[in-house]
């Protein structure tokens, strides 16, 4: 191979890497957001199981017998006999997700991320 051919191959590989790396970073963030949404949906299931026993919603994860995924932090912001709300965040992204159930919430039971 000549030096020109090798340089062309290196340039082509560089262009492909420049295209692939941003797409990979975007895919990682989507996975983090999916993990946060999944944890909030699982928390909703745990809250409903707790409600069926105690006739109220809990404000602690241990009482709900719920453990979030690795890297995800879930916080129950409110809980009473009529509804509850929670937030989630991930160490790999600045986005946060929230879910609200009861109390006249809009998009009730649907995790909303921003």
């Amino acid at each position: 191979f000549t030096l020109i051919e090798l340089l062309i191959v290196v340039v082509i590989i560089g262009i492909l890497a420049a295209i692939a790396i941003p797409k990979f970073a975007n895919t990682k963030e989507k996975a983090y957001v999916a993990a946060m949404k999944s944890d909030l949906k699982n928390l909703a299931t745990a809250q409903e199981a707790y409600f069926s026993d105690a006739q109220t919603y809990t404000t602690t994860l241990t009482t709900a017998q719920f453990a979030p995924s690795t890297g995800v932090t879930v916080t129950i912001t409110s809980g009473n006999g009529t509804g509850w709300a929670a937030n989630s965040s991930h160490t790999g992204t600045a986005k946060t997700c929230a879910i609200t159930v009861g109390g006249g919430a809009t998009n009730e039971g649907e995790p909303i991320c921003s």
Side-chain angles (χ1 to χ4, degrees):
F1 294 103
T2 65
L3 184 60
I4 297 291
E5 290 171 331
L6 290 175
L7 286 174
I8 290 173
V9 169
V10 168
V11 168
I12 291 171
I13 291 172
I15 291 170
L16 291 175
I19 293 170
I21 290 172
K23 288 187 180 281
F24 176 70
N26 188 25
T27 302
K28 281 177 47 176
E29 185 170 39
K30 285 182 182 179
Y32 296 149
V33 170
M36 292 187 296
K37 284 182 176 182
S38 175
D39 278 359
L40 287 176
K41 289 177 183 178
N42 290 338
L43 177 60
T45 302
Q47 282 279 42
E48 292 304 322
Y50 182 83
F51 184 83
S52 70
D53 292 336
Q55 303 304 307
T56 188
Y57 294 104
T58 183
T59 57
T60 61
L61 297 177
T62 54
T63 306
Q65 297 180 350
F66 174 78
S69 303
T70 304
V72 178
T73 303
V74 176
T75 306
I76 301 174
T77 56
S78 66
N80 54 35
T82 61
W84 61 277
N87 297 325
S88 67
S89 60
H90 194 285
T91 55
T93 182
K95 291 186 176 184
T96 60
C97 295
I99 189 170
T100 305
V101 174
T106 57
N107 298 327
E108 183 172 324
E110 178 185 345
I112 305 295
C113 298
S114 59

